Amino acid sequence: METIKDIAKACGVGVSTVSRAINNHPDINPETKQMILDVIKEHNYIPNNSARNLKRTKSKSVAVLIKGISNPFFSRMIEIIEYETQQKKYTFVLQRVEENEDELSVALQLAKEKKLKGIIFLGGMITHSEEKIRQLDVPFVLSTSGYIAGKDMDGKWNGNAGWSFVTVDDYGESYKIVNYLCSLGHKKIAILAADIEDDSIGKLRYEGYKQALRDNGIEPCGDLECHMDERVDNYSMRTGYRLMNKLLSREKDFTAVYAIADSLAIGACRAIIENNKKIPEDYSVAGFDGLEAGEFYNPSITTIRQPVEKIAKETVGLLFQLMQKEGGNRQIILPGELIIRESVKEI
Amino acid sequence: METIKDIAKACGVGVSTVSRAINNHPDINPETKQMILDVIKEHNYIPNNSARNLKRTKSKSVAVLIKGISNPFFSRMIEIIEYETQQKKYTFVLQRVEENEDELSVALQLAKEKKLKGIIFLGGMITHSEEKIRQLDVPFVLSTSGYIAGKDMDGKWNGNAGWSFVTVDDYGESYKIVNYLCSLGHKKIAILAADIEDDSIGKLRYEGYKQALRDNGIEPCGDLECHMDERVDNYSMRTGYRLMNKLLSREKDFTAVYAIADSLAIGACRAIIENNKKIPEDYSVAGFDGLEAGEFYNPSITTIRQPVEKIAKETVGLLFQLMQKEGGNRQIILPGELIIRESVKEI
DNA sequence: TTGTATGCGTTATCAG
DNA sequence: CTGATAACGCATACAA
């Protein structure tokens, strides 16, 4: 294994000079620097990152910890976050964390190893003790999650989370689209929801649905609710398909279905079509998220679009404010956008 | 910052004993070990990974380098690779690499930093000099790529790649589905393809298409080919939508379209539908990949399914054989599966 | 502008 | 079973 010493020897200079060449330090003769760089290239020398991290005191890097990397929603977010981060001349570390892994522990460890300046959490970060969160002495922002942590059970914002986050108002936007369905004359609105025990966005969207119904004088009916199985289902098209078939087999009357995610909505559509029913003639279908797949589906899916670009930008902006101590924790709640397409009709 | 020294002091033992406790070494008194572990937990001590990597000689870890993380196809692969790796008691490192980044350089660096035992490349690894590849002294396997490197321009396998890979036969499977379209009586078959300059799977699938046509006595016609714009388009639904509209505007006659990816096929379907044409009555549409989105689309998309699970398992299996020197480089070419669904009709 | 020496936090070696 | 100490490869303070 080649080390900086070997290079120094090969160049006939000291190790620190090589180090200076590598790290673009100013106080070095341009000629020696070029010579060293040439030798390095010739030897295919690669500095050992562990040693660098160990020695370095500071660093200009932030990390994104992402739970549920398969979420297509996150792909675009990452792109933007990465771009914005690089604009600010910071290095960007992407770290995926298992569904059953503790993202906070991973964050703690990574912060130490990479001497991080800041962290962004994408997904997850729902259930953590204040105490453990406090161990994280690096500025961090929760993106598209964390809202729940500041919400009371009935969905009302209690306004005192001790940390920063950026998210859409899942409860409010869910309310909005269900209310929209009601305004179109729908009275029997089914829902494809997360499992009952869910305490994340699934719960928020579910609560928004129920409240919208009540405010429209409709009492939520358990027979029109179809929940995922805990630890079996996920937010996939297949799940939507399964849930919809289950709902249809109950032979209950309804005119619209609200799926709490576009992926579920698409699976639901397929189930409806295979049952020889038409969308939206027989059933209206509404989703949530604003995925590309919903836009190009046949019929295209009426949904709430999450402002991905905006969320990403605000997240990075907030994180850097925190890092530069330009203000304390803030909670940014962005509006979604009701996108009216083909899958819902007036009744 | 707390170090192993602080823990040793707090426990009244030497640092090496603490190290033993952390690393599950056998030669340590179970009681002291438990005591140390307790103190560690109490202090929230986290060992510095950089220091560990620096000092450690061996390691039991493999990495997956993935180019194009948004590819939904890769999500499932990663899941399986990770599972299989953990079965073998190895640690798994996922490293994403930018589209414009050099995955080989990243691999070289990571191998050094993390003392990797093996590497899996997902996507990318198309254009690299033999010389640079040889620098990588760690066993590696190319998954769902690399085939091209052993192919001649006309798609024939030249059989002497100096490295291992696992993939489907993009050329052959592409040939298969186009041939299937021909067998159904289609004579004018359009294609939605990658940009002309593409030298990856895009080229292979394109060549398979042309050869299938010729073998069915049909001369490929440029007017029925619609290529992506280099560096602008990607394998998204939106691209498929754009290309299909472009193709339709040419007002050329055709009865079937073959999109070289399911995502493109779905966008194409949407474009056709918006032009008030029916699938498959007016146009048959075929895809490639076997994405969930194609299965649940309306109409469901006839396609070639890549055996994701199998690819992933064979990849890991091959890598570990290489690592354990149980054989030299091998090239595994798996068959795809023609899945007949609703988007294609006989003519 | 350059070289030397020290220490980052850990594990491995060796002596007890 | 345990503890002292020498590396690991690099960046940096300091001396030249």
Side-chain angles (χ1 to χ4, degrees):
Chain A
M1 177 95 78
E2 236 170 356
T3 77
I4 198 173
K5 261 187 177 169
D6 303 314
I7 300 298
K9 204 170 295 171
C11 294
V13 302
V15 286
S16 43
T17 308
V18 177
S19 178
R20 285 184 188 101
I22 294 172
N23 297 291
N24 276 89
H25 279 226
D27 48 353
I28 181 173
N29 184 316
E31 288 169 27
T32 24
K33 176 172 178 179
Q34 192 52 54
M35 183 267 284
I36 293 172
L37 257 26
D38 288 344
V39 173
I40 285 178
K41 182 155 291 174
E42 194 182 332
H43 283 232
N44 296 315
Y45 163 69
I46 301 171
N48 183 315
N49 237 319
S50 297
R52 305 180 90 170
N53 285 328
L54 182 59
K55 190 65 185 119
R56 248 197 282 264
T57 45
K58 61 205 169 206
S59 97
K60 285 187 81 170
S61 61
V62 301
V64 174
L65 265 72
I66 166 175
K67 207 162 185 173
I69 203 161
S70 62
N71 190 337
F73 190 80
F74 287 158
S75 308
R76 179 86 185 112
M77 294 256 317
I78 296 172
E79 280 178 23
I80 301 167
I81 292 175
E82 174 155 36
Y83 176 79
E84 295 285 321
T85 307
Q86 284 174 345
Q87 287 293 304
K88 298 181 188 281
K89 303 291 174 203
Y90 268 68
T91 303
F92 165 94
V93 179
L94 182 72
Q95 175 72 44
R96 171 167 153 279
V97 5
E98 292 296 299
E99 204 57 59
N100 57 14
E101 214 174 349
D102 177 6
E103 62 272 22
L104 197 43
S105 299
V106 176
L108 255 12
Q109 176 157 339
L110 203 64
K112 197 163 187 174
E113 175 177 351
K114 299 273 172 79
K115 308 227 157 62
L116 298 177
K117 279 277 195 302
I119 301 178
I120 291 171
F121 291 91
L122 240 49
M125 282 299 278
I126 304 295
T127 50
H128 287 289
S129 67
E130 291 257 335
E131 187 214 341
K132 187 156 188 191
I133 291 180
R134 242 174 271 295
Q135 279 181 45
L136 195 58
D137 57 354
V138 173
F140 66 96
V141 177
L142 276 44
S143 198
T144 68
S145 68
Y147 190 19
I148 186 83
K151 280 275 188 175
D152 289 331
M153 272 317 180
D154 59 358
K156 280 212 311 280
W157 166 240
N158 70 27
N160 63 351
W163 51 85
S164 294
F165 60 76
V166 180
T167 181
V168 298
D169 180 0
D170 286 281
Y171 173 81
E173 297 298 326
S174 190
Y175 182 101
K176 189 197 284 180
I177 196 163
V178 174
N179 192 53
Y180 167 71
L181 291 175
C182 293
S183 76
L184 257 33
H186 291 279
K187 301 241 180 288
K188 304 196 172 187
I189 303 173
I191 185 172
L192 270 32
D195 67 279
I196 304 270
E197 300 299 322
D198 185 286
D199 56 356
S200 173
I201 54 167
K203 182 177 183 61
L204 254 20
R205 294 182 188 175
Y206 175 54
E207 295 293 339
Y209 156 83
K210 287 198 294 188
Q211 193 57 45
L213 289 186
R214 286 201 200 93
D215 288 357
N216 280 274
I218 302 167
E219 192 51 34
C221 162
D223 287 344
L224 291 179
E225 296 177 6
C226 212
H227 291 270
M228 295 184 193
D229 282 348
E230 198 178 1
R231 310 221 151 276
V232 177
D233 290 332
N234 51 17
Y235 289 81
S236 68
M237 296 181 187
R238 194 170 310 283
T239 299
Y241 179 79
R242 226 179 48 68
L243 292 182
M244 191 67 215
N245 272 323
K246 199 163 138 195
L247 180 63
L248 288 170
S249 71
R250 300 218 272 249
E251 305 201 343
K252 274 285 182 178
D253 235 34
F254 60 94
T255 60
V257 202
Y258 164 47
I260 66 164
D262 285 344
S263 50
L264 296 177
I266 288 170
C269 285
R270 181 74 206 170
I272 291 171
I273 290 161
E274 288 187 3
N275 275 268
N276 294 313
K277 299 290 185 184
K278 282 203 169 349
I279 306 165
E281 289 76 8
D282 296 312
Y283 299 112
S284 287
V285 177
F288 198 116
D289 279 343
L291 295 192
E292 188 184 49
E295 181 180 352
F296 290 95
Y297 197 75
N298 176 36
S300 56
I301 309 290
T302 290
T303 191
I304 294 284
R305 198 182 93 80
Q306 299 208 50
V308 201
E309 292 79 9
K310 188 133 201 229
I311 295 176
K313 282 189 184 168
E314 292 281 353
T315 299
V316 176
L318 181 48
L319 181 64
F320 275 83
Q321 280 184 15
L322 254 28
M323 284 161 52
Q324 288 151 12
K325 303 198 193 311
E326 290 175 0
N329 282 318
R330 279 197 297 144
Q331 293 78 35
I332 301 177
I333 297 167
L334 268 9
E337 185 188 354
L338 174 62
I339 301 196
I340 297 171
R341 294 204 275 238
E342 303 166 346
S343 65
V344 169
K345 72 153 191 179
E346 193 164 353
I347 214 163
Chain B
M1 176 95 77
E2 238 171 356
T3 76
I4 199 173
K5 264 187 174 167
D6 303 316
I7 300 298
K9 204 169 295 173
C11 293
V13 301
V15 286
S16 34
T17 307
V18 177
S19 180
R20 285 187 187 96
I22 294 172
N23 297 291
N24 275 89
H25 280 228
D27 47 353
I28 181 173
N29 183 317
E31 287 169 27
T32 22
K33 176 172 176 177
Q34 192 51 55
M35 183 268 282
I36 293 172
L37 259 24
D38 288 345
V39 174
I40 284 178
K41 181 156 290 176
E42 194 183 332
H43 283 231
N44 297 314
Y45 163 69
I46 301 171
N48 183 315
N49 237 320
S50 296
R52 305 180 89 170
N53 285 328
L54 181 59
K55 186 60 189 145
R56 250 199 279 262
T57 46
K58 60 201 171 213
S59 96
K60 284 187 80 170
S61 61
V62 301
V64 174
L65 265 71
I66 167 175
K67 206 162 185 173
I69 202 160
S70 62
N71 189 334
F73 189 80
F74 288 157
S75 308
R76 179 84 186 113
M77 295 256 316
I78 296 173
E79 280 178 22
I80 301 166
I81 293 175
E82 174 154 37
Y83 177 78
E84 295 286 320
T85 307
Q86 284 174 348
Q87 287 294 304
K88 298 182 188 281
K89 302 293 175 202
Y90 268 68
T91 303
F92 165 94
V93 179
L94 181 72
Q95 176 71 42
R96 172 168 153 280
V97 5
E98 292 297 301
E99 203 59 57
N100 56 14
E101 215 173 346
D102 176 7
E103 62 273 22
L104 197 43
S105 299
V106 175
L108 255 11
Q109 177 156 340
L110 202 63
K112 195 162 189 176
E113 175 177 351
K114 299 275 172 77
K115 308 227 157 59
L116 299 177
K117 278 278 195 301
I119 301 179
I120 291 172
F121 291 91
L122 239 50
M125 283 299 278
I126 304 296
T127 50
H128 286 290
S129 67
E130 291 258 336
E131 187 215 339
K132 188 157 188 190
I133 291 181
R134 242 175 272 295
Q135 280 180 45
L136 196 57
D137 57 352
V138 174
F140 66 96
V141 177
L142 275 43
S143 198
T144 69
S145 67
Y147 190 20
I148 186 83
K151 280 273 187 178
D152 290 329
M153 271 319 181
D154 59 358
K156 280 210 310 281
W157 167 239
N158 71 27
N160 63 351
W163 51 85
S164 295
F165 60 76
V166 180
T167 182
V168 298
D169 179 1
D170 287 280
Y171 173 81
E173 297 299 327
S174 190
Y175 182 102
K176 188 196 283 179
I177 195 165
V178 175
N179 192 52
Y180 167 72
L181 291 175
C182 292
S183 76
L184 256 33
H186 291 279
K187 301 242 180 287
K188 304 197 173 187
I189 303 173
I191 186 172
L192 270 31
D195 67 279
I196 303 270
E197 300 299 323
D198 185 285
D199 56 355
S200 173
I201 54 168
K203 182 178 184 61
L204 254 20
R205 294 183 188 176
Y206 175 52
E207 295 293 339
Y209 155 82
K210 287 198 294 189
Q211 193 57 45
L213 289 187
R214 288 200 198 94
D215 288 357
N216 280 275
I218 302 167
E219 192 51 34
C221 161
D223 288 344
L224 290 180
E225 295 177 5
C226 212
H227 292 269
M228 295 185 193
D229 283 347
E230 197 178 1
R231 311 221 149 276
V232 178
D233 289 333
N234 50 18
Y235 290 80
S236 68
M237 296 182 187
R238 195 171 309 283
T239 299
Y241 179 77
R242 227 178 48 68
L243 292 182
M244 192 66 215
N245 272 324
K246 200 164 137 194
L247 180 62
L248 288 171
S249 71
R250 299 218 274 246
E251 304 200 345
K252 275 283 180 181
D253 237 33
F254 60 93
T255 60
V257 202
Y258 164 47
I260 65 164
D262 285 345
S263 51
L264 296 177
I266 288 170
C269 284
R270 181 74 205 171
I272 291 171
I273 291 160
E274 288 187 3
N275 275 268
N276 294 312
K277 300 289 183 184
K278 281 202 169 353
I279 306 165
E281 289 77 8
D282 296 311
Y283 299 111
S284 286
V285 177
F288 197 116
D289 280 343
L291 295 192
E292 187 183 50
E295 180 180 352
F296 290 96
Y297 198 75
N298 175 37
S300 56
I301 310 289
T302 289
T303 192
I304 294 284
R305 199 182 93 80
Q306 300 208 52
V308 202
E309 292 79 9
K310 189 132 202 233
I311 295 176
K313 281 187 185 170
E314 292 282 353
T315 299
V316 176
L318 181 48
L319 181 65
F320 275 84
Q321 280 185 15
L322 254 27
M323 284 161 48
Q324 289 150 14
K325 303 201 194 308
E326 290 175 359
N329 281 319
R330 278 197 297 144
Q331 294 79 37
I332 301 177
I333 298 167
L334 269 7
E337 184 188 355
L338 175 62
I339 301 196
I340 296 172
R341 294 204 273 238
E342 302 167 345
S343 64
V344 170
K345 72 153 190 178
E346 193 165 354
I347 216 164

